[in-house]
Structure formats: C-alpha cells, structure tokens
Amino acid sequence: MVGWILKKILGSKNQRELRRLMPIVRRMNEFDEQFKSLSDEELRAKTAAWEAEVSAIPGLEEQWKKLDEILPEAFAVVKNAARRLKERQHSFTVCDQPMVWDMVHFDVQLLGGIVLHRGRIAEMATGEGKTLVATLPLYLNALTGRGAHLVTVNDYLARRDAEWMGQLYDFLGLTVGCIQHDQEPDVRREQYAMDITYGTNSEFGFDYLRDNGMATTREQQVQRGYHYAIVDEVDSILIDEARTPLIISGPATISTHQYDKWKPLIEQLVRKQNMLCNRLASEAIEKFEQGEVETGGRLMFKVKLGQPRNKQLLRLMEDPDKRRAIDKAELSFFQDTRKEELFQLKEELFFTIDEKSNEADLSEQGRVFLNPDDPNAFVLPDLISEFTEIDLDPNLPDDGKDKKKAERQQHCDAQAERIHNISQLLRAYCLFEKDVQYVIEDNKVVIVDEFTGRKMPGRRWSDGLHQAVEAKEGVQIDRETQTLATITIQNYFRLYQKLAGMTGTAETEAAEFHDIYKLDVNVIPTNRPVRRTDNNDRIYKTRREKYNAVIKEIRESHAKTQPVLVGTVSVESSELLSRMLKREKIPHNVLNAKFHMQEAEIVARAGQPGTVTISTNMAGRGTDIKLGPGVIELSGLMVIGTERHEARRIDRQLRGRCARQGDPGASRFYVSFEDDLMRNFGAADRMTRIMERFGLEEGQELEHRWLNKSVETAQKRVEQRNYLIRKRTLDFDDVMNMQREVVYTYRNEVIDSEEPRKLIYEVIDEAVPAKVKEYLDVDEPNYTGLVHWVNTTFPLGLTKEKAQFETRGVDENAQFLVEKIKDAYERKSAYEEPTAVKSLERYIILNAIDRLWQEHLYAMDALREGVYLRGYAQKDPLIEYKTEAYDMFVELMANIKNEVLNNLFRSTSNLQAFENFLATLPQFLLREHAPTAPTAGAPARARQPQPVGAMAGVATGDGDGAGEVSIDLPIRRSIPKVGRNEPCPCGSGKKYKNCCGRVA
C-alpha cells in the first residue's frame, strides 16, 4: 500500500528517469532555434569538425565522454536538417517508389534518441517513428569513425530504411551502406566501410563467422569492428530468434541416411496408431454413455498420449464432465505409485507424443512392428564390454582383434543411425504440420518463422529433422550438413561495445534483457494520447464456434466499411479464414509466408475503408497502416486476433497496429479451449469449472476481464519456459563462446601477422618439448618411440645411436630437436619462392585450425546431446559439459600444434621449388633390391641395399649424427621402360624376361 502511494506521488522508476532527461530535450530545441540562421554548408561543417575532433581522441571511453558532451547540439543538427528537407519538400525514391520527406523529430523522439545513445532499449508504440528516432544516435556515434550499425529483421526493411534515412545522413555529410543477402564480399566491405550500415541480424552474424572462421587473408574479411549497434524490433531478434543459433554448414563428407527406406513403414505405423486411437475413442464414448466415466476417462487419456489432436478427443473435451474425467485420469497416472501402470498404458500404444517437449517415443509394440525379426534392433550394443571381451580373447591375434573391434563399431554406428532416422521420421509425421511449421516451395521444404510468419529460405532444421520432413513430403532429400562455424544471436550481439534496441513491446521481457544483455528498458510516452479500445477476450468451447464468431464480427465491421485486420498464428489458420470469407463473399487480402513479396503493398492498404486483411503475424512488418478518408469517423481500424500467441509481446504488437499517432481503433482476441496454448498451458480444471458454472451452450461465449488474466497466466508459463530454454542454450554456448574467442583470436593473429614464421617457431617451441616430455619424462623413457616420431614428422634422418638421447636430460633433448627442426626448415624455406613463403606459412597454420575446429564442433555437438543422460546419475549436465569441453579444448589446441608440425615439411609454395630442395638432399631407395635396366653394352648391376628410413619418404642420415636432412625419392629411369618380351638392351639377343629382366 505504501509503495502504491509513493508511486502515485513520485511516479514509477521509468517516469523519474524520463523526467531527468527532459532538460536535455529542452536544450536541443534551443540549439535547433539557433541553427535556423545557419546555411546548409555551415550546418554540414559541424559534422566535419566533430568527426575530426572525436576521431583524434585515442580511447573509446574518452570518445564516449566527448559524444555525451556534444549530444544536445548534435541531435539539434539532425532535427534541423530534417526540418530543412521537409520545408523544401525534398523528393526521392525508396525501393523504386517516389517519396517526399515529411518528418521532423517530436520531443518524445528526441527522448528516445537519448535512451538509445545510452545503450538501452526504447519501447515506443507502433507508429511513433522509431525509424526516424534511430537517426539521432546513429549520427552521433558515427562521428567516432568506427562505424555504427542498425540491425533489422529483413532485407527489404534494411534497404528501405537505408535509402529513406540516407537522405538525412547524406545532407549532413555522412555515408550510409546497406548489407543485402546476395552481395559479393567486395561490395560488403564497401558497405561496412561507410559511416552507418544497415542490415539484418543474420547477415551481420554470418559475416562475422565468415570473417573469423573461413577467411584466410585480411582482404577476404569484410567487417571492421563492433562499436555501436541499434537493434530494431529488438524483442524479435534478441529473444524470439535467440533459440536458434546461426550456423554456416557444408555438405557432410558421407551421407548414410535411410529416411526413404523407413518412410513406408513409419507411414503404416502412423496409420495403425490413428486407427487404434479412433477405436479407443469410440470405446470411450460407449463407456461414457453406459455411465462408466472412470473407464472412459482412462481410455481417452490413452488417446491423448497417442494422438493429442484426435478430433473425437477434442470434441469430448468440450463437455465439462468428460473433460474432468480425462484430467482426473491423467493426474492419477502421474502419481509416483502408479508409474508402472502408466508405463504399461503407454506400451499398449505404438508410440506416444509429447507436444510440450516436441518429442515422439516408440513403444515396444511399435518397435516390434518395425523390426519383427530382430528383438535387439533398437538396442545399442555396449561397446566397452564387447571391446574388453575381444581384448581378453587369447585365440585372437592382434590384427584380428582390431578387425573385430572395427566390425562391432561399424555395427553400432549403423544401429544408432537407424534408431535416429526412425525417431526423426516419427517426429516429422506427428509433430510437424505442412503450412504451420513449414511450406513446400519449388520442391523444397521451407521453414516458416513461428513468430513473424515469414519464410526462412536457406534455414534448415538440424540433426536430420529437415531430411525427415523432406522424406515425408516426397521432395528431394538434400544431403546432411556438417557445421563449419556457429554462434548464437546472443553471443554475436554481446560482441558490441555498446548495444541499444527499439521495439513496441519490450516491457514484458525486461528481466531477460537485463540478465542476458545488461540492457535496461525505458518506455517512451506516445506523442499523442492512445485512443485504442482493448476489448475483453471472447472465449469459446470449440474452434468451430470461435471462427464463426470471428466471421460474424468481420461481416458486421465490413458492412459499415470499417477496415479490419485479422491476426492468425499460422498459415493454415489464415487460409481457413480466407476460405470462410470467400463463402461469405467478403473481399479480403491474405498476408502470410506464401505472399511475402506483396507484403508492404497489402499492409499499406489495410487502413482503407472496407478493407479486410488477414495476416499471420505483424511482428517486424515495419510498414505503418495509415487510415484512409472517413475511417476515423468509423472508430478507426478494428484488429481481431483469432488466437492468443504463446508470447504476450506478439499479441501487443498485433493490437499496436491500430490507433497510431492518436487515431481511434479497437482490438479483440477470440480464444477457444481447443487452441494449443489453452490445451498445453491453460488451467484446464479451472476452465472446466467455469464452463460448468455458466452452463455454456453451443455458440455461447465467456467474456470477462478476469478471464483475460487467466489467459495471460498461461502465456506467462510459456514465456518462462521459453526463457529457461534460451538461458540454457546460452549457458552451454558460453562454454563454446570462450573457446570460439580463443580460436578466432589466434586465427586473426595468423592472418594479421607480418611474420608468420614467428608463429611457426612458437608452435615448434611449444609442441616439440611437450612431445619430448611425453616420451622421456616418464618412469621408463621411450627413446625408440621418440626417434620414430621425429623421423615420421621431420626429414631429420636421426637414428637412436646417432641422436644419443640417453646422454642428455629432457630439456636438453628438447632444445637439441628444436634447433635441428628450425635449421631444416630454414634450408627448406631457402628454396621456396620468397614472395609465397609467408602465404604458405599462414596456410599451414590456418588449415590446421580450420580442419580440427570443424571436427571439434562436431564432437561438441555430440557431447551436448549425450551429456543430458548424466542427469540420471544425479550429475548436473552443465557442469559435466564444462568439464569435458575443457579437456576436449586442451586436446584441440595440442592437436592443432601437432598438425602444424606434420604439415611443415609436407607443404610447398610450388612443386618446382620443392623438387629443387629435394635435389640437394642425399637420395636413398626404400627397397633393398631394386635393380634398374642397364644401359646397352653394360652389365646388369643391382644397387647396393641402403638403410631404410622410419617413414615413407624419409631415410636415415649418412651416419655423421648431425641429423642431416634426407628424403627418399622415387627411382627415375634413364631410358624408356623395357617390355618383358622385348629384346634385352644389354645386346645378348635374348628376350628381356630371360636375361636382365630375370633379376628384377
């Protein structure tokens, strides 16, 4: 009570902060009045002067202090420039459409600009001009010369805003660039070099991955740092899209999927399950009619486990008594004492479906149906036990043991692949619906964004799920992919020194923004009071009744020519409504993932009299709906939501499409108990009691503000669950992020290094002593093993006798080898092309990093999937993941160094240079007896046997113990090859095979 009184007197925290900023806004307006007397050149001169002054300051913190000092004056310059463009009715084209500049910053927009400059999130209602607000802090932060980025949700908006706001930047003397999906690297580099750059979050993120994970020279890198960024629709990008990491992938080296093989059987299995569930539902109806309510409830709970969207089940759920019986059965089976009964109940089905966790699980009956002849078809063998048995088998020779282990490993891999393919096919058939989660376009499966309703071409579900959906739909099954580079949206944007965001709906997620991004939210008041009427939700028993009521309301509004915007949650819902409106002969436009190209045109017309627009989701559409003539008198735009979304933000965004800039408008949501949100997260018991209490008949509705709270409670549950998923994703990715930073920093050090040989020698100085310790710093030093490793890695030609490792300590031996290797490398480098040596040395290190980093990503994916099983052993999967990931990373860095050593003498700038180097070395044969054909008139002579080297291509030295470089070369003939039946070249007159050829 005391808190409420204080809040009324002093205002909320947000109101107090905004009051503190108002004096700055007044100063801006004073400067703006002063600048009216300046000429255009004098106004532009301020930009040049500030740029020179700020860029001369060395430290970033000091630059920011200077920006804070000039903020009121700089913002006033931008506002004054906007006024001049408006007064002159400046005309230009944006995305090939003619436009006239008609905007000058309001005071609330100046307020929003201050909030954005300070690295916070500005929540501004739809239609308040967020695009124009961003020009203020972008202009100010671009003065540092380090670049300022504006991140938006799609290429169209990035291009539109860059061309539109570019008029203002150009007037003030700043350059503006725009990143688009299909640009070449040279063009991208030019765009990033501009003062201000617009682009989408995925393009910025993928450029980061390409620059740091794939580029091999500084010229191939396009970005130039992460100084300041504003994220438009910040909730959509930093929250909704944060669950999916950005991944650059390439085709896997081998593809072993069997989706097409198992598809017919899975189809049969799903059909059998559908028939079984329909039969169980019919039996349940009979039991209910006979008064056996408990038995009926048990049967319907079984149907719910096997087919949650069964039509008979959904119809029975409309009846309060039957709904309560089903809920009671469900609650009783989830008691600890009845776990075995629940397991037996699940085993009576072919598989069970869990919509909440998006999983489908085969029962024993389902496994027998798929593999009737092999009871162990779905059991992974215990390789550790099997390998132990093989090792202890005295009858098997060593090579036989290795062969048998390889066979068992291959069998295990095939078994795992089969189980995985069947599991993903089952998910594809039972949980992923066409026109809801994806659409088919050009014989390809294209994912639909669940939050924006946009198609996402190029995106693919991971872990084989996309291939499973492709198999289900009968389109071409693309090859499985392998991760080359990956980063989450969260970790990409945390790279920026200063990050800000703007959206119409951030307040509900303020805690998450603060926890993950350290971003505070300020709610900016509207320029004019909001005149929108938000009506109570209307709640119905069934979807059928709900849709009929929606059509009725659309018909009534259309009859009085009031424009209507209808929001749906899926492509399927929008097409269903479209068909119903066609039957009613009501003209309308459909805006969903299938008609992306006409998006801006459809939205722009949505405020005209009598227009009906159906939209999958308005999040991030970015185009204002301006009311046509006479619409204000009709109470403005009517917004109808056909279903509550999982996130309250999305509903608020839909409501916010009407009543912009003080216009009138109204909104209402229609909800049914069959909606996914209500089925999975709504309080079923409470809803059932409400239905009973009010005695709802067919077509009747519930409407009360208390019920709105109940729906919002369900939404909060989903939001909390999704937040935990994103937080968990981030916790795991933080481990990868630290490793990524180390690897990418090392990679960039190699690319930027003027003397890559220093880095090569650092690797030698670190890796060789480590190897020497591995062999010698033990109870029983392995001198033979060390000699073998040296000779298989470097062309030193050492022998155990000549190396004399026994006479020196571990450190002295390490120093001895380091000197020999560096000396050999200097001799090799002397024969390389001088201009190409540095590039070759960079390539040796980068190639080792890239190849092993890709393998490491694959191993980390596997660890992440498997580590959850350790929860059954009462271990925290995250701690286990961190421990093992650290060990794997230490191993990765050691392997990179060893790979560099292995490739040091196996790489060349060009073949001729390498042959020149080889020609200077003593040449030995690898075979003891390899006679050559003698020349004519000369007796046949066999070469004397020579010592054989420890590796192919490397022979021992000539015995001076100096470790002389020596490499075996192939035997070269001085005359053409002689056929076995041709005359012998020695002149004996015999055939070659009966003369000198007999020795060979």
Side-chain angles (χ1 to χ4, degrees), residues 875-912:
K875 294 180 179 178
D876 185 343
L878 183 60
I879 293 172
E880 292 288 302
Y881 179 76
K882 286 180 177 178
T883 305
E884 291 219 12
Y886 176 76
D887 294 339
M888 288 167 68
F889 186 67
V890 170
E891 188 180 345
L892 166 72
M893 298 311 287
N895 288 344
I896 288 173
K897 290 168 187 170
N898 290 330
E899 182 81 357
V900 171
L901 295 183
N902 277 320
N903 292 334
L904 211 51
F905 291 91
R906 289 175 169 84
S907 308
T908 181
S909 56
N910 90 29
L911 192 58
Q912 188 60 50

Side-chain angles (χ1 to χ4, degrees), residues 185-253:
D186 290 344
V187 179
R188 285 174 181 269
R189 195 177 305 104
E190 288 173 12
Q191 304 305 312
Y192 280 114
M194 303 290 187
D195 296 316
I196 296 162
T197 306
Y198 284 74
T200 65
N201 56 307
S202 54
E203 290 303 318
F204 282 119
F206 286 135
D207 281 339
Y208 167 78
L209 291 175
R210 281 188 285 264
D211 279 5
N212 291 277
M214 302 175 81
T216 55
T217 62
R218 173 54 65 195
E219 290 69 36
Q220 290 175 358
Q221 295 181 323
V222 297
Q223 292 186 333
R224 62 178 181 123
Y226 312 96
H227 164 235
Y228 177 70
I230 298 175
V231 182
D232 192 10
E233 300 295 349
V234 67
D235 56 327
S236 178
I237 291 174
L238 295 192
I239 291 182
D240 299 338
E241 297 196 23
R243 283 189 288 174
T244 309
L246 297 173
I247 298 173
I248 291 182
S249 57
T253 48

Side-chain angles (χ1 to χ4, degrees), residues 27-42:
R27 282 186 63 203
M28 290 175 196
N29 289 324
E30 289 166 9
F31 277 120
D32 178 37
E33 286 297 321
Q34 295 172 24
F35 294 158
K36 286 180 181 178
S37 60
L38 298 179
S39 67
D40 290 357
E41 287 70 27
E42 287 172 325

Side-chain angles (χ1 to χ4, degrees), residues 164-321:
W164 191 8
M165 297 300 117
Q167 306 300 315
L168 192 54
Y169 302 130
D170 187 53
F171 183 86
L172 291 167
L174 291 182
T175 55
V176 62
C178 178
I179 306 295
Q180 295 283 284
H181 176 64
D182 50 359
Q183 285 174 341
E184 294 296 319
D186 290 344
V187 179
R188 285 174 181 269
R189 195 177 305 104
E190 288 173 12
Q191 304 305 312
Y192 280 114
M194 303 290 187
D195 296 316
I196 296 162
T197 306
Y198 284 74
T200 65
N201 56 307
S202 54
E203 290 303 318
F204 282 119
F206 286 135
D207 281 339
Y208 167 78
L209 291 175
R210 281 188 285 264
D211 279 5
N212 291 277
M214 302 175 81
T216 55
T217 62
R218 173 54 65 195
E219 290 69 36
Q220 290 175 358
Q221 295 181 323
V222 297
Q223 292 186 333
R224 62 178 181 123
Y226 312 96
H227 164 235
Y228 177 70
I230 298 175
V231 182
D232 192 10
E233 300 295 349
V234 67
D235 56 327
S236 178
I237 291 174
L238 295 192
I239 291 182
D240 299 338
E241 297 196 23
R243 283 189 288 174
T244 309
L246 297 173
I247 298 173
I248 291 182
S249 57
T253 48
I254 54 168
S255 186
T256 56
H257 76 77
Q258 302 167 8
Y259 295 110
D260 37 8
K261 175 186 171 183
W262 290 103
K263 177 189 171 182
L265 275 172
I266 294 295
E267 276 185 346
Q268 286 180 42
L269 185 71
V270 172
R271 273 200 300 271
K272 284 181 81 72
Q273 176 97 331
N274 291 347
M275 289 165 62
L276 172 63
C277 287
N278 287 334
R279 183 166 53 79
L280 288 169
S282 300
E283 287 177 20
I285 291 168
E286 286 178 17
K287 295 293 182 188
F288 280 130
E289 288 171 354
Q290 293 165 10
E292 298 179 33
V293 178
E294 192 174 329
T295 310
R298 184 181 183 278
L299 287 168
M300 288 315 297
F301 172 56
K302 195 195 288 191
V303 174
K304 189 177 178 181
L305 286 173
Q307 202 179 8
R309 295 174 189 169
N310 182 281
K311 289 181 180 176
Q312 293 186 74
L313 170 68
L314 295 177
R315 272 201 294 274
L316 284 173
M317 295 289 272
E318 296 168 19
D319 186 301
D321 293 329

Side-chain angles (χ1 to χ4, degrees), residues 88 127 233 290 310 314 337 344 404 469 626 663 666 711 863 866 917 947:
R88 294 168 193 178
E233 300 295 349
Q290 293 165 10
N310 182 281
L314 295 177
T337 54
Q344 288 167 2
K404 198 162 183 180
V469 175
K626 294 180 181 175
D663 290 339
V711 175
L863 172 64
F917 166 58

Side-chain angles (χ1 to χ4, degrees), residues 586-605:
I586 297 174
H588 59 278
N589 295 313
V590 180
L591 177 61
N592 61 30
K594 292 186 172 181
F595 303 104
H596 180 67
M597 299 303 289
Q598 302 116 303
E599 180 178 305
E601 188 185 345
I602 293 173
V603 172
R605 290 203 307 264

